[in-house]
Amino acid sequence: MAFSREGFTADVVAGFVRRTFLNRNVIIILALSQAVSYINGYPLTAFPVFRFVHLFPLRALNIWILLGIYTHVTSYLNDQFANNWTKDTYKWNKEIVLITGGASGIGAALTSLLLKRNPSTKIVIIDHSPLTFKPPPGSAVYYYQGDLSNSSIIRQLCERIRNEVGHPTVLVNNAGLVRGTTVMEGSYADVEITIKTNLIAPFLLTKEFLPDMVRRNHGHIVSMGSMSAVTPPARIADYAATKAGLIALTEVLWRYKQKTMLDAGRGLMRAYRHYSSN
Ligand SMILES: *[C@@H]1O[C@H](CO)[C@@H](O)[C@H](O)[C@H]1NC(C)=O
Ligand SMILES: *[C@@H]1O[C@H](CO)[C@@H](O)[C@H](O)[C@H]1NC(C)=O
Protein backbone atom coordinates (compact mmCIF):
# COMPACT_ATOMS: atom_id res chain seq x y z
CA MET A 1 0.00 0.00 0.00
CA ALA A 2 1.40 3.39 -0.97
CA PHE A 3 0.69 6.33 1.33
CA SER A 4 2.05 8.84 -1.14
CA ARG A 5 4.36 8.91 -4.16
CA GLU A 6 7.35 9.20 -1.86
CA GLY A 7 6.20 6.45 0.52
CA PHE A 8 5.53 6.87 4.22
CA THR A 9 7.15 10.11 5.39
CA ALA A 10 6.50 12.75 8.03
CA ASP A 11 4.50 14.58 5.34
CA VAL A 12 1.94 11.78 5.28
CA VAL A 13 1.32 12.27 9.01
CA ALA A 14 1.35 16.07 8.77
CA GLY A 15 -1.07 15.94 5.82
CA PHE A 16 -3.44 13.71 7.76
CA VAL A 17 -3.37 16.01 10.80
CA ARG A 18 -3.98 19.05 8.58
CA ARG A 19 -6.93 17.43 6.85
CA THR A 20 -8.54 16.21 10.07
CA PHE A 21 -7.69 17.89 13.39
CA LEU A 22 -6.51 21.14 11.83
CA ASN A 23 -9.13 21.12 9.09
CA ARG A 24 -10.32 24.67 8.51
CA ASN A 25 -13.98 23.89 9.14
CA VAL A 26 -13.22 22.01 12.34
CA ILE A 27 -11.17 24.94 13.62
CA ILE A 28 -13.82 27.49 12.64
CA ILE A 29 -16.55 25.53 14.45
CA LEU A 30 -14.40 25.03 17.56
CA ALA A 31 -13.30 28.67 17.62
CA LEU A 32 -16.86 29.98 17.14
CA SER A 33 -18.23 27.73 19.86
CA GLN A 34 -15.44 28.75 22.22
CA ALA A 35 -16.15 32.40 21.45
CA VAL A 36 -19.89 31.91 22.03
CA SER A 37 -19.25 30.15 25.29
CA TYR A 38 -16.93 32.93 26.46
CA ILE A 39 -19.36 35.66 25.53
CA ASN A 40 -22.58 34.07 26.75
CA GLY A 41 -21.07 32.01 29.49
CA TYR A 42 -22.77 29.22 27.60
CA PRO A 43 -20.68 26.10 27.88
CA LEU A 44 -19.47 24.62 24.65
CA THR A 45 -20.48 21.19 25.77
CA ALA A 46 -24.12 22.26 25.88
CA PHE A 47 -24.03 21.24 22.23
CA PRO A 48 -24.17 17.46 22.07
CA VAL A 49 -21.72 17.38 19.15
CA PHE A 50 -19.08 18.87 21.37
CA ARG A 51 -19.42 16.45 24.26
CA PHE A 52 -16.17 14.89 23.12
CA VAL A 53 -14.49 18.12 24.08
CA HIS A 54 -14.84 17.00 27.71
CA LEU A 55 -11.99 14.69 26.91
CA PHE A 56 -9.64 17.65 26.61
CA PRO A 57 -8.69 20.13 29.29
CA LEU A 58 -9.76 23.66 28.34
CA ARG A 59 -6.18 24.77 27.83
CA ALA A 60 -5.49 21.92 25.38
CA LEU A 61 -8.60 22.90 23.47
CA ASN A 62 -7.46 26.51 23.22
CA ILE A 63 -3.99 25.43 22.09
CA TRP A 64 -5.63 23.26 19.46
CA ILE A 65 -7.66 26.19 18.16
CA LEU A 66 -4.68 28.55 18.19
CA LEU A 67 -2.54 25.98 16.39
CA GLY A 68 -5.24 25.63 13.73
CA ILE A 69 -5.54 29.39 13.26
CA TYR A 70 -1.74 29.73 13.18
CA THR A 71 -1.39 26.99 10.56
CA HIS A 72 -4.01 28.45 8.25
CA VAL A 73 -2.90 32.06 8.63
CA THR A 74 0.78 31.26 7.98
CA SER A 75 -0.01 29.07 5.01
CA TYR A 76 -2.19 31.86 3.55
CA LEU A 77 0.53 34.48 4.15
CA ASN A 78 3.24 32.21 2.71
CA ASP A 79 1.22 31.70 -0.47
CA GLN A 80 0.51 35.38 -0.81
CA PHE A 81 4.10 36.48 -0.14
CA ALA A 82 5.46 33.90 -2.55
CA ASN A 83 3.23 35.32 -5.29
CA ASN A 84 3.63 39.02 -4.42
CA TRP A 85 -0.06 39.22 -3.46
CA THR A 86 -1.16 38.36 -6.96
CA LYS A 87 -2.91 35.21 -8.09
CA ASP A 88 -0.86 33.10 -10.44
CA THR A 89 -2.65 29.97 -11.46
CA TYR A 90 -1.18 27.34 -13.71
CA LYS A 91 -3.27 25.99 -16.55
CA TRP A 92 -1.36 22.83 -17.22
CA ASN A 93 -2.81 22.34 -20.68
CA LYS A 94 -1.22 25.66 -21.68
CA GLU A 95 2.08 25.71 -19.81
CA ILE A 96 5.41 25.22 -21.54
CA VAL A 97 7.85 23.49 -19.22
CA LEU A 98 11.52 23.53 -20.18
CA ILE A 99 13.54 20.81 -18.46
CA THR A 100 17.28 20.66 -19.00
CA GLY A 101 18.74 17.20 -18.82
CA GLY A 102 15.27 15.75 -19.23
CA ALA A 103 16.31 12.82 -21.41
CA SER A 104 16.93 10.57 -18.41
CA GLY A 105 16.99 10.45 -14.61
CA ILE A 106 15.14 13.02 -12.51
CA GLY A 107 14.31 15.14 -15.59
CA ALA A 108 12.67 12.18 -17.34
CA ALA A 109 10.78 11.26 -14.15
CA LEU A 110 9.54 14.84 -13.87
CA THR A 111 8.42 14.76 -17.50
CA SER A 112 6.41 11.63 -16.89
CA LEU A 113 4.81 13.08 -13.72
CA LEU A 114 3.85 16.27 -15.54
CA LEU A 115 2.33 14.31 -18.42
CA LYS A 116 0.44 12.12 -15.99
CA ARG A 117 -1.12 15.24 -14.47
CA ASN A 118 -1.93 16.78 -17.82
CA PRO A 119 -1.09 15.06 -21.10
CA SER A 120 -1.32 18.38 -23.02
CA THR A 121 1.42 20.18 -21.08
CA LYS A 122 4.15 21.11 -23.53
CA ILE A 123 7.49 19.78 -22.37
CA VAL A 124 10.71 21.00 -23.90
CA ILE A 125 13.78 18.94 -23.14
CA ILE A 126 17.33 20.09 -23.78
CA ASP A 127 19.84 17.33 -23.35
CA HIS A 128 23.21 16.30 -24.69
CA SER A 129 22.17 12.65 -24.87
CA PRO A 130 19.16 11.20 -26.70
CA LEU A 131 15.82 10.54 -24.98
CA THR A 132 15.87 7.34 -22.95
CA PHE A 133 12.08 7.06 -23.03
CA LYS A 134 9.37 7.15 -25.65
CA PRO A 135 7.00 10.10 -25.12
CA PRO A 136 3.40 8.86 -24.90
CA PRO A 137 1.53 9.15 -28.19
CA GLY A 138 -0.25 12.49 -28.56
CA SER A 139 1.94 14.21 -25.96
CA ALA A 140 3.78 17.40 -26.81
CA VAL A 141 7.36 16.59 -25.90
CA TYR A 142 9.95 18.57 -27.84
CA TYR A 143 13.50 17.34 -27.72
CA TYR A 144 16.46 19.58 -28.49
CA GLN A 145 19.88 18.06 -28.62
CA GLY A 146 22.50 20.46 -27.37
CA ASP A 147 25.58 20.96 -25.25
CA LEU A 148 24.68 23.24 -22.33
CA SER A 149 28.34 23.97 -21.63
CA ASN A 150 28.46 26.00 -24.85
CA SER A 151 26.89 29.45 -24.51
CA SER A 152 26.50 30.02 -28.26
CA ILE A 153 24.53 26.78 -28.47
CA ILE A 154 22.36 27.91 -25.54
CA ARG A 155 21.64 31.18 -27.34
CA GLN A 156 20.68 29.40 -30.58
CA LEU A 157 18.52 26.81 -28.80
CA CYS A 158 16.61 29.44 -26.83
CA GLU A 159 15.87 31.34 -30.03
CA ARG A 160 14.65 28.12 -31.70
CA ILE A 161 12.51 27.13 -28.71
CA ARG A 162 10.81 30.55 -28.61
CA ASN A 163 10.09 30.34 -32.35
CA GLU A 164 9.09 26.71 -32.57
CA VAL A 165 7.31 26.10 -29.25
CA GLY A 166 6.88 29.43 -27.43
CA HIS A 167 8.12 31.16 -24.29
CA PRO A 168 8.62 28.63 -21.49
CA THR A 169 6.47 29.42 -18.44
CA VAL A 170 8.35 26.97 -16.23
CA LEU A 171 12.11 26.53 -16.33
CA VAL A 172 13.63 23.55 -14.56
CA ASN A 173 17.41 23.75 -14.30
CA ASN A 174 17.98 20.07 -13.81
CA ALA A 175 20.96 19.19 -16.02
CA GLY A 176 24.07 18.55 -14.00
CA LEU A 177 27.21 16.58 -14.47
CA VAL A 178 29.80 15.22 -12.08
CA ARG A 179 33.34 14.34 -13.11
CA GLY A 180 34.28 12.87 -9.74
CA THR A 181 37.90 13.94 -9.67
CA THR A 182 39.80 15.63 -6.89
CA VAL A 183 40.77 19.27 -7.12
CA MET A 184 44.39 18.22 -7.75
CA GLU A 185 43.71 15.50 -10.33
CA GLY A 186 40.95 17.12 -12.38
CA SER A 187 41.92 18.74 -15.67
CA TYR A 188 41.04 22.29 -16.75
CA ALA A 189 38.36 20.74 -18.96
CA ASP A 190 36.78 18.80 -16.06
CA VAL A 191 36.32 21.93 -14.00
CA GLU A 192 35.18 24.06 -16.93
CA ILE A 193 32.55 21.70 -18.31
CA THR A 194 31.11 21.08 -14.83
CA ILE A 195 30.77 24.73 -13.94
CA LYS A 196 29.52 25.76 -17.39
CA THR A 197 26.85 23.05 -17.56
CA ASN A 198 25.70 23.12 -13.94
CA LEU A 199 25.92 26.80 -13.11
CA ILE A 200 26.50 29.08 -16.09
CA ALA A 201 23.77 27.43 -18.20
CA PRO A 202 21.09 28.05 -15.50
CA PHE A 203 22.16 31.71 -15.32
CA LEU A 204 21.95 32.10 -19.10
CA LEU A 205 18.62 30.26 -19.34
CA THR A 206 17.22 32.44 -16.56
CA LYS A 207 18.39 35.53 -18.45
CA GLU A 208 16.71 34.19 -21.58
CA PHE A 209 13.32 33.35 -20.11
CA LEU A 210 12.79 35.37 -16.92
CA PRO A 211 12.03 38.71 -18.68
CA ASP A 212 9.00 37.24 -20.43
CA MET A 213 7.79 35.60 -17.19
CA VAL A 214 8.01 38.97 -15.42
CA ARG A 215 6.25 40.70 -18.31
CA ARG A 216 3.37 38.26 -18.12
CA ASN A 217 3.49 38.05 -14.32
CA HIS A 218 3.44 34.30 -14.68
CA GLY A 219 6.23 31.81 -14.39
CA HIS A 220 8.30 29.55 -12.25
CA ILE A 221 12.02 28.78 -12.09
CA VAL A 222 13.25 25.67 -10.34
CA SER A 223 16.89 24.69 -9.92
CA MET A 224 17.86 21.24 -8.80
CA GLY A 225 19.79 21.45 -5.55
CA SER A 226 22.00 19.01 -3.71
CA MET A 227 23.03 18.21 -0.16
CA SER A 228 26.58 18.60 -1.43
CA ALA A 229 25.98 22.37 -1.54
CA VAL A 230 25.86 22.27 2.26
CA THR A 231 28.26 19.43 3.06
CA PRO A 232 30.55 19.03 0.04
CA PRO A 233 32.22 15.61 -0.11
CA ALA A 234 35.68 15.05 -1.58
CA ARG A 235 36.00 14.51 -5.37
CA ILE A 236 33.02 16.64 -6.26
CA ALA A 237 34.16 20.05 -5.05
CA ASP A 238 33.35 21.65 -8.43
CA TYR A 239 29.89 20.06 -8.55
CA ALA A 240 29.19 21.12 -4.94
CA ALA A 241 30.34 24.65 -5.76
CA THR A 242 27.88 24.84 -8.69
CA LYS A 243 25.03 23.69 -6.43
CA ALA A 244 25.96 26.32 -3.83
CA GLY A 245 25.98 28.83 -6.70
CA LEU A 246 22.46 27.78 -7.70
CA ILE A 247 21.32 28.47 -4.16
CA ALA A 248 22.76 31.99 -4.46
CA LEU A 249 20.96 32.50 -7.78
CA THR A 250 17.66 31.30 -6.32
CA GLU A 251 18.09 33.46 -3.21
CA VAL A 252 18.61 36.54 -5.34
CA LEU A 253 15.54 35.82 -7.48
CA TRP A 254 13.63 35.35 -4.24
CA ARG A 255 14.90 38.48 -2.59
CA TYR A 256 13.68 40.50 -5.53
CA LYS A 257 10.21 39.17 -4.89
CA GLN A 258 10.56 39.41 -1.14
CA LYS A 259 11.22 43.12 -1.11
CA THR A 260 7.48 43.60 -0.87
CA MET A 261 7.37 41.01 1.90
CA LEU A 262 9.91 42.99 3.91
CA ASP A 263 7.92 46.15 3.25
CA ALA A 264 4.78 44.44 4.53
CA GLY A 265 6.72 43.32 7.63
CA ARG A 266 8.01 46.84 8.27
CA GLY A 267 4.50 48.23 7.82
CA LEU A 268 3.17 45.86 10.48
CA MET A 269 6.00 46.80 12.86
CA ARG A 270 5.29 50.50 12.34
CA ALA A 271 1.57 49.95 12.95
CA TYR A 272 2.36 47.96 16.10
CA ARG A 273 4.69 50.66 17.46
CA HIS A 274 2.16 53.34 16.63
CA TYR A 275 -0.65 51.62 18.50
CA SER A 276 1.44 50.47 21.43
CA SER A 277 2.82 53.99 21.99
CA ASN A 278 -0.57 55.68 21.85
C1 LIG B 1 30.10 25.99 -29.46
O1 LIG B 1 29.19 25.78 -30.50
C2 LIG B 1 29.54 26.42 -31.72
C3 LIG B 1 28.49 26.12 -32.75
O2 LIG B 1 27.23 26.29 -32.30
C4 LIG B 1 30.85 25.92 -32.22
O3 LIG B 1 31.21 26.64 -33.36
C5 LIG B 1 31.89 26.09 -31.13
O4 LIG B 1 33.10 25.49 -31.57
C6 LIG B 1 31.45 25.46 -29.85
N1 LIG B 1 32.42 25.76 -28.82
C7 LIG B 1 33.03 24.81 -28.12
C8 LIG B 1 33.97 25.27 -27.07
O5 LIG B 1 32.79 23.63 -28.31
C1 LIG C 1 4.83 43.23 -6.45
O1 LIG C 1 3.67 44.01 -6.42
C2 LIG C 1 3.89 45.41 -6.32
C3 LIG C 1 2.55 46.08 -6.13
O2 LIG C 1 1.57 45.53 -6.96
C4 LIG C 1 4.62 45.88 -7.57
O3 LIG C 1 4.86 47.27 -7.49
C5 LIG C 1 5.93 45.14 -7.65
O4 LIG C 1 6.60 45.50 -8.84
C6 LIG C 1 5.70 43.65 -7.64
N1 LIG C 1 6.97 42.97 -7.58
C7 LIG C 1 7.33 42.04 -8.45
C8 LIG C 1 8.66 41.44 -8.24
O5 LIG C 1 6.60 41.70 -9.36
Side-chain angles (χ1 to χ4, degrees), residues 54-219:
H54 268 314
L55 296 172
F56 304 95
L58 190 62
R59 180 182 292 194
L61 187 65
N62 286 339
I63 290 175
W64 178 2
I65 293 172
L66 286 178
L67 194 64
I69 294 174
Y70 172 81
T71 314
H72 288 286
V73 169
T74 44
S75 110
Y76 170 78
L77 289 176
N78 282 345
D79 273 2
Q80 294 297 316
F81 283 144
N83 292 305
N84 196 21
W85 303 91
T86 62
K87 255 203 151 45
D88 190 10
T89 47
Y90 284 78
K91 302 197 180 74
W92 291 103
N93 56 343
K94 295 213 172 72
E95 307 301 336
I96 302 178
V97 183
L98 169 58
I99 304 175
T100 64
S104 59
I106 295 177
L110 184 59
T111 303
S112 117
L113 285 174
L114 284 167
L115 290 177
K116 216 175 274 170
R117 175 164 58 192
N118 193 315
S120 331
T121 305
K122 288 184 176 151
I123 314 263
V124 182
I125 290 173
I126 303 182
D127 206 308
H128 199 43
S129 0
L131 286 185
T132 57
F133 62 95
K134 218 172 121 55
S139 63
V141 175
Y142 302 80
Y143 168 72
Y144 290 84
Q145 201 277 334
D147 176 3
L148 286 169
S149 71
N150 184 326
S151 56
S152 42
I153 290 184
I154 290 182
R155 199 187 282 275
Q156 290 162 16
L157 281 179
C158 291
E159 208 43 52
R160 275 184 61 200
I161 290 168
R162 271 191 293 263
N163 291 332
E164 294 168 14
V165 189
H167 288 278
T169 53
V170 179
L171 165 63
V172 184
N173 291 311
N174 162 69
L177 59 84
V178 195
R179 297 301 248 194
T181 58
T182 65
V183 174
M184 290 206 295
E185 286 161 1
S187 65
Y188 277 26
D190 285 330
V191 178
E192 278 173 7
I193 196 171
T194 306
I195 294 181
K196 282 180 178 164
T197 309
N198 298 10
L199 185 59
I200 296 184
F203 265 88
L204 301 182
L205 291 168
T206 301
K207 281 181 70 60
E208 289 280 347
F209 299 122
L210 180 60
D212 192 67
M213 294 180 186
V214 170
R215 212 165 19 245
R216 287 196 275 174
N217 210 358
H218 175 67

Side-chain angles (χ1 to χ4, degrees), residues 84 256-257 260:
N84 196 21
Y256 171 60
K257 273 178 105 176
T260 42

